[in-house]
Amino acid sequence: MSNRITIWLTCFCASAISAVFWPSLPSQASMAVLLAIIVILSAILICKTRCNYLSGYLHRLALPYLIAHGVLAGVLWLASVGHLHYAWQLPTSKIQQDVTIFARVLSGGCILNTNGKANALSAEHKTHAYTVELIRIERQSPIQFIFGGKAPYTVKKFTTPRARLTQSFITYDGDAHTIDTVKCLQDNDVFSARVKLKPAYGVLNPVGFNQQQMLASQNIHFTGYIKKGSVEVVISSPSIRRTLASALVSLELVNTKWWLALLLGIRNELLPEDWTMLQHTGTGHLFSISGMHLGVIAASTFLLCHVAVFLLKWLHTTITNLLRRSIDVGELNLTSHLIATEKTNKVSHVVAPIRVVVIFIVLLCAFGYTCLSGMSLPVVRAFVLVCIVAAFSTFKWSVRPVHVGLVMVAMSIVLFPLSILSASFYLSIFAVLVIWYVVVRFNLSAKPRYVAAFQLQFILSIVMVPFTVLWFESASIISIVANLVAVPVITCLLPLCLLALIAVAVTQYTHPSIIHPAQQILLYADQCLSYLLELLRWLSAQHFAFVNVTFSTPQAWCCVLLTAIVLAPHFRFKTVYVVVLAFSLLSRFFPTHPSMWQLHVLDAGQASAIVITKGKRAVVIDSGASFNGNARTAENVLLPLLDQYNINAIDHVVHTHSDNDHAGGHQVIKRALVARNAIYYSPRTGCERGKVIYWQSLTIRFLWPLPGNQEDSNAQSCVVRISDNRNHVLIAGDIERASEYALLTLQKASQTLPLLKANVLVAPHHGSNTSSTDVFIKAVSPNVVIFTQGYENRWAFPDENVVTRYRDNDVSQYLTSTHGYINVEFDSHDSALCQSKSDNVHCVSRWAIETQRTHRQKRWYLPAYHPSHLSLLSLKSD
């Protein structure tokens, strides 16, 4: 029976997790067919067990039926969840419209100090991001939610949508360290506000953070922002978590923000430099309530219960001995006989209740800590595991660790199905599997505890590197040392400080005399944490502490499999598998064909970031935007993309003009080692008509501005043409109508009009109606135009008139907001790229175009949204 359950659970989990790679969800008709097949298979499996006259025939088919049943059940479950998730949607015509909502703050709220103001840590943040649960939409608002093709106003509990809202703080009430708390929402507040909503969306590139997948994994349907001065708190319901947070802030510890993260899981107070330190040292999991923290609490509770039971037994024995000494010998013999008889008859009835009581107390404390964490998904998942282990222990079921692991994964998929899209799901499961495997493989249970703990942490830190590379495209080299120090310290501090904090919060108004010892404990722990943080900062500052490792997804999975096989016991052909996987990893360093060159148009939101690569060298044309001093596109996308393509030098950097959306990453590129010998161009420096650069057998020609220009503006943006004499790319910056006419006049005067012609045009000014005149489009005569613009940007780029003009000229149109990252591959020789590309890729004899959303990473949870101001008929693309 256990083997059948193991097989079914394995098939269910595998098929459910395969949903991560589905390009689309099964249709509702297909799901109905799947349900019918599952019912039939269930009837067959039951009949196999119950019907003796069919058991002989069905016995041969039991295993295939069981496998099919598990696979189809997993597919049907995830498909149902996927359809339910995307049932809530906004009408296209109502995106980014004002709507009044009633909602409850689930996470991300402000922390108040003793004066009822947002504390100084919150004041350092200009905005807050709240995760809210939408309760009601006002009928008079010009918006409706569509659910299942209908438009209900009543939100059902099992389909309550979630939204990620941002709120900006502009006004301060005289003190630079406090925020007007009327506008500062706290967790569990029910509020009304005027907001603008749009579907949960994000940029999509081959590298970098995938926000849309993260939002889907958290079951967030919409994003938006709260309009200024529109927040009104309807109900403020203080929670235990808020009370503890306020008590912690009132203590004014040196490391308050770290204690908020460690004890309560409130990490929105951490600053960018704090996140950098955690990333470089690989200790981010310690300052975020996770399964490890729940395990520490459960183990501490279990240990305290054992100590309490030992003390009770000792007290019982002591009292019994005292009573024996106080009576005469006859009575002593009678009492001894009665005690022995009672012990013999009731010992089995006493031990069992004690074990059950201990397990109940452990579960109760674990549940309380889960609620304290704000029902954080990793903690809830760990709590499910604790419950499973407790059930097996209570009912004395003999199971193997693999059964516990399968039940844990299956329960996580059933309770939190969309968590399969998050990194924490795989990191948690992989960590548990590694711990179990290492304990068995190296027989750690027979070794001293400190030796076993050291060896386990050391192996775990090494083995988790491939997974961090797969999900975060980086690895912390120093994490092995950092975790060996930090994990024991946090393990000791966590339960003690949590008890002290609870004591402070509970007794500050009832028993003030108890507060002082608890405060002293927290003060001493704060000093200890300061020493630990200083060590982590020092380790983070080492140049070898952290490396960026960018692999493609197949290569990253090869790295994970290679690590698993190396750790596995010896088996047949193990060496062959290791060599094959290692060769796959080394393939990223193989040079590309010398005749091939590529245009990379990054999905940079409402900004422009373009790269030309050939061989191992690159040219950067614009580097994206910078916000609050962080050039995320340049640092997290552009440079890692070059690393993925094994580029070792940036030779030329062209910023078409100095606007932030084009040159925001200038300093990041300039500091990069790969650009140490780069030459920089701008409208006032080096970028002038007539200048020609011969690079990697390509011709880079500047067509605008005129020589001697000293103006750095949209009208004087650099216009660059890259050509291999067969294929041509024209990048027009932000030039407008007057500049286009000037270019045409100059080209006609010099009789060099063909210099404007291009196969691929990056649309001027992101598709603004001030550019892309009909005469300019005819002169360029592109096959493809690419608009670099953000989804639902405030300027409504590309303009509908511009889109219509390109459509009327039979030009295929691509939008970075819709298609994501766009790659155009050219062959300067006569070979046909169509022979090596799939049929749905736009390709001609010497070049082919692929997009991230349509070709490279087409996933059901990463749908493409067209701009709401454009009709689908107005866009023509392949």
Side-chain angles (χ1 to χ4, degrees):
M1 184 65 180
S2 63
N3 290 334
R4 297 176 186 174
I5 295 175
T6 302
I7 293 173
W8 189 91
L9 288 177
T10 302
C11 295
F12 175 81
C13 295
S15 62
I17 293 175
S18 71
V20 175
F21 306 101
W22 295 352
S24 61
L25 291 173
S27 64
Q28 294 182 1
S30 302
M31 291 171 59
V33 173
L34 288 179
L35 181 60
I37 295 175
I38 289 175
V39 172
I40 294 173
L41 290 176
S42 301
I44 292 175
L45 292 174
I46 294 174
C47 191
K48 184 265 174 187
T49 305
R50 302 296 181 184
C51 302
N52 295 328
Y53 61 90
L54 290 176
S55 60
Y57 172 73
L58 295 176
H59 180 75
R60 296 190 299 272
L61 301 176
L63 183 59
Y65 284 159
L66 192 66
I67 293 174
H69 190 279
V71 169
L72 295 180
V75 171
L76 183 62
W77 175 241
L78 260 297
S80 303
V81 171
H83 279 290
L84 184 62
H85 175 73
Y86 283 113
W88 287 103
Q89 54 185 303
L90 293 171
T92 303
S93 61
K94 299 299 182 180
I95 294 173
Q96 291 286 59
Q97 300 296 314
D98 284 359
V99 54
T100 301
I101 65 169
F102 283 83
R104 177 181 290 106
V105 179
L106 299 178
S107 62
C110 299
I111 306 300
L112 301 186
N113 56 27
T114 54
N115 298 322
K117 302 293 184 180
N119 67 83
L121 299 175
S122 293
E124 294 183 11
H125 300 276
K126 299 294 180 65
T127 61
H128 267 279
Y130 307 109
T131 300
V132 304
E133 177 186 55
L134 299 180
I135 299 174
R136 189 170 74 253
I137 312 297
E138 286 293 340
R139 287 181 179 272
Q140 61 267 29
S141 62
I143 196 168
Q144 296 178 357
F145 285 127
I146 295 178
F147 179 71
K150 301 179 180 179
Y153 286 100
T154 304
V155 178
K156 303 297 183 183
K157 281 296 179 184
F158 64 95
T159 59
T160 301
R162 291 185 176 187
R164 177 68 59 84
L165 300 178
T166 58
Q167 181 186 18
S168 297
F169 300 110
I170 304 298
T171 58
Y172 292 83
D173 59 346
D175 186 353
H177 297 291
T178 58
I179 298 173
D180 185 0
T181 55
V182 175
K183 299 180 181 180
C184 186
L185 297 171
Q186 301 180 73
D187 289 352
N188 213 36
D189 278 355
V190 177
F191 68 97
S192 67
R194 284 185 295 110
V195 301
K196 285 192 175 182
L197 296 176
K198 62 181 179 180
Y201 208 52
V203 300
L204 188 61
N205 292 288
V207 295
F209 178 62
N210 191 333
Q211 182 181 3
Q212 190 175 3
Q213 182 172 343
M214 182 272 292
L215 294 173
S217 69
Q218 297 180 359
N219 202 25
I220 293 175
H221 305 81
F222 316 111
T223 59
Y225 64 91
I226 300 173
K227 302 198 72 175
K228 298 176 184 178
S230 66
V231 176
E232 179 182 352
V233 177
V234 178
I235 301 174
S236 182
S237 303
S239 62
I240 297 177
R241 192 184 189 198
R242 276 174 54 175
T243 303
L244 292 177
S246 299
L248 184 58
V249 170
S250 66
L251 294 176
E252 297 182 353
L253 301 175
V254 175
N255 303 298
T256 299
K257 60 183 178 181
W258 295 102
W259 289 114
L260 286 170
L262 176 61
L263 300 180
L264 303 176
I266 301 174
R267 301 195 296 172
N268 54 334
E269 304 293 338
L270 297 180
L271 302 176
E273 54 267 27
D274 300 326
W275 289 109
T276 300
M277 183 197 72
L278 294 178
Q279 184 184 27
H280 286 187
T281 56
T283 53
H285 64 287
L286 297 178
F287 294 94
S288 171
I289 294 184
S290 61
M292 188 203 81
H293 296 73
L294 185 75
V296 171
I297 296 298
S300 301
T301 305
F302 186 76
L303 180 61
L304 289 176
C305 288
H306 272 273
V307 172
V309 170
F310 173 79
L311 292 177
L312 288 175
K313 288 182 178 180
W314 175 81
L315 184 61
H316 177 268
T317 304
T318 303
I319 294 175
T320 302
N321 291 333
L322 290 176
L323 290 175
R324 286 178 177 177
R325 294 173 184 174
S326 63
I327 56 179
D328 54 29
V329 176
E331 293 174 340
L332 177 62
N333 292 335
L334 178 61
T335 303
S336 300
H337 175 72
L338 292 175
I339 292 175
T341 304
E342 183 179 2
K343 183 176 181 180
T344 302
N345 294 335
K346 295 186 177 182
V347 66
S348 60
H349 299 285
V350 172
V351 173
I354 289 178
R355 187 179 71 250
V356 173
V357 169
V358 169
I359 292 175
F360 176 76
I361 294 174
V362 171
L363 289 178
L364 187 63
C365 293
F367 177 74
Y369 188 71
T370 303
C371 296
L372 194 63
S373 70
M375 302 301 290
S376 174
L377 183 57
V379 184
V380 176
R381 192 162 48 234
F383 178 70
V384 171
L385 176 60
V386 172
C387 291
I388 293 172
V389 174
F392 287 153
S393 176
T394 301
F395 297 104
K396 297 182 178 179
W397 292 336
S398 179
V399 293
R400 291 180 294 174
V402 65
H403 296 148
V404 178
L406 282 173
V407 173
M408 177 195 71
V409 176
M411 289 295 293
S412 297
I413 292 174
V414 170
L415 296 176
F416 322 105
L418 292 179
S419 66
I420 65 171
L421 304 178
S422 66
S424 65
F425 176 82
Y426 301 96
L427 292 176
S428 300
I429 292 175
F430 193 67
V432 171
L433 292 177
V434 169
I435 291 172
W436 167 73
Y437 176 78
V438 170
V439 169
V440 175
R441 176 80 168 81
F442 299 99
N443 194 23
L444 297 186
S445 57
K447 298 180 180 180
R449 291 187 177 180
Y450 67 92
V451 175
F454 178 86
Q455 190 172 355
L456 177 62
Q457 184 60 51
F458 183 81
I459 296 176
L460 188 63
S461 299
I462 294 177
V463 174
M464 293 302 290
V465 168
F467 259 86
T468 57
V469 170
L470 174 63
W471 283 98
F472 306 112
E473 299 167 352
S474 59
S476 173
I477 306 301
I478 208 69
S479 63
I480 300 174
V481 177
N483 280 284
L484 285 175
V485 177
V487 169
V489 173
I490 297 300
T491 302
C492 295
L493 292 180
L494 177 62
L496 183 62
C497 295
L498 187 60
L499 286 175
L501 179 60
I502 293 174
V504 170
V506 171
T507 62
Q508 59 182 341
Y509 300 112
T510 56
H511 299 82
S513 59
I514 303 179
I515 295 180
H516 183 69
Q519 287 179 336
Q520 289 300 117
I521 292 175
L522 289 172
L523 288 174
Y524 290 136
D526 192 44
Q527 294 179 2
C528 181
L529 184 61
S530 296
Y531 294 137
L532 176 62
L533 292 174
E534 285 298 323
L535 175 62
L536 294 181
R537 291 189 184 98
W538 181 80
L539 292 174
S540 175
Q542 305 306 309
H543 66 278
F544 58 84
F546 180 80
V547 294
N548 290 310
V549 184
T550 307
F551 288 109
S552 63
T553 301
Q555 292 169 342
W557 279 112
C558 285
C559 186
V560 173
L561 291 176
L562 179 62
T563 305
I565 292 175
V566 169
L567 284 176
H570 181 74
F571 59 90
R572 192 177 183 183
F573 301 123
K574 178 179 179 179
T575 305
V576 175
Y577 289 130
V578 170
V579 172
V580 170
L581 291 173
F583 184 80
S584 300
L585 286 177
L586 294 175
S587 64
R588 74 184 297 264
F589 301 104
F590 294 168
T592 59
H593 195 279
S595 66
M596 298 292 184
W597 61 284
Q598 298 185 53
L599 167 70
H600 310 266
V601 181
L602 306 184
D603 186 3
Q606 187 55 39
S608 176
I610 302 169
V611 178
I612 306 292
T613 60
K614 187 175 184 185
K616 293 187 176 183
R617 312 188 81 81
V619 173
V620 173
I621 304 177
D622 291 337
S623 55
S626 173
F627 299 100
N628 298 323
N630 296 321
R632 295 180 180 177
T633 298
E635 188 168 5
N636 300 333
V637 181
L638 194 153
L639 292 178
L641 180 70
L642 295 180
D643 181 64
Q644 186 179 91
Y645 279 87
N646 198 27
I647 301 298
N648 56 26
I650 298 175
D651 294 325
H652 304 279
V653 178
V654 181
H655 285 112
T656 56
H657 59 298
S658 61
D659 284 1
N660 179 60
D661 59 334
H662 289 256
H666 174 76
Q667 292 300 324
V668 171
I669 301 296
K670 196 171 184 178
R671 292 194 302 265
L673 186 62
V674 72
R676 59 187 178 275
N677 297 320
I679 303 173
Y680 294 83
Y681 304 85
S682 69
R684 292 184 294 189
T685 307
C687 182
E688 59 183 30
R689 181 176 177 82
K691 188 178 186 64
V692 179
I693 301 172
Y694 297 99
W695 175 82
Q696 297 285 96
S697 301
L698 300 178
T699 302
I700 302 175
R701 189 182 302 271
F702 294 93
L703 304 181
W704 189 258
L706 296 175
N709 171 68
Q710 293 301 314
E711 181 182 341
D712 194 341
S713 62
N714 287 353
Q716 302 300 324
S717 295
C718 298
V719 177
V720 188
R721 186 175 185 261
I722 301 97
S723 173
D724 62 4
N725 296 324
R726 295 177 180 272
N727 310 288
H728 318 284
V729 174
L730 184 65
I731 301 172
D734 276 0
I735 62 171
E736 298 179 339
R737 186 178 294 109
S739 301
E740 292 179 355
Y741 291 157
L743 270 172
L744 294 173
T745 302
L746 289 170
Q747 297 296 89
K748 289 181 180 179
S750 60
Q751 297 182 350
T752 57
L753 192 60
L755 287 180
L756 272 178
K757 291 189 176 296
N759 306 101
V760 179
L761 168 66
V762 179
H765 205 179
H766 314 284
S768 169
N769 196 32
T770 61
S771 307
S772 296
T773 57
D774 190 66
V775 64
F776 180 77
I777 296 173
K778 291 182 183 300
V780 178
S781 187
N783 301 103
V784 166
V785 62
I786 299 173
F787 298 102
T788 56
Q789 39 73 244
Y791 177 64
E792 295 302 323
N793 60 86
R794 68 179 71 178
W795 300 277
F797 291 157
D799 187 84
E800 188 171 7
N801 295 323
V802 173
V803 170
T804 301
R805 288 198 289 269
Y806 281 107
R807 181 197 63 190
D808 293 343
N809 283 278
D810 198 30
V811 181
S812 297
Q813 303 176 56
Y814 290 85
L815 286 68
T816 54
S817 68
T818 301
H819 297 91
Y821 160 84
I822 299 170
N823 175 274
V824 188
E825 187 175 15
F826 300 93
D827 188 353
S828 57
H829 292 169
D830 291 328
S831 59
L833 287 177
C834 288
Q835 298 175 1
S836 61
K837 299 293 181 181
S838 59
D839 294 336
N840 62 342
V841 177
H842 184 126
C843 58
V844 294
S845 60
R846 290 184 294 273
W847 59 277
I849 183 169
E850 290 182 327
T851 69
Q852 194 68 18
R853 291 188 189 275
T854 308
H855 308 114
R856 295 192 170 192
Q857 199 174 353
K858 187 177 181 180
R859 302 288 185 266
W860 63 268
Y861 49 88
L862 299 174
Y865 292 109
H866 292 277
S868 58
H869 66 281
L870 298 177
S871 64
L872 294 180
L873 295 178
S874 64
L875 292 170
K876 175 185 178 297
S877 63
D878 296 279

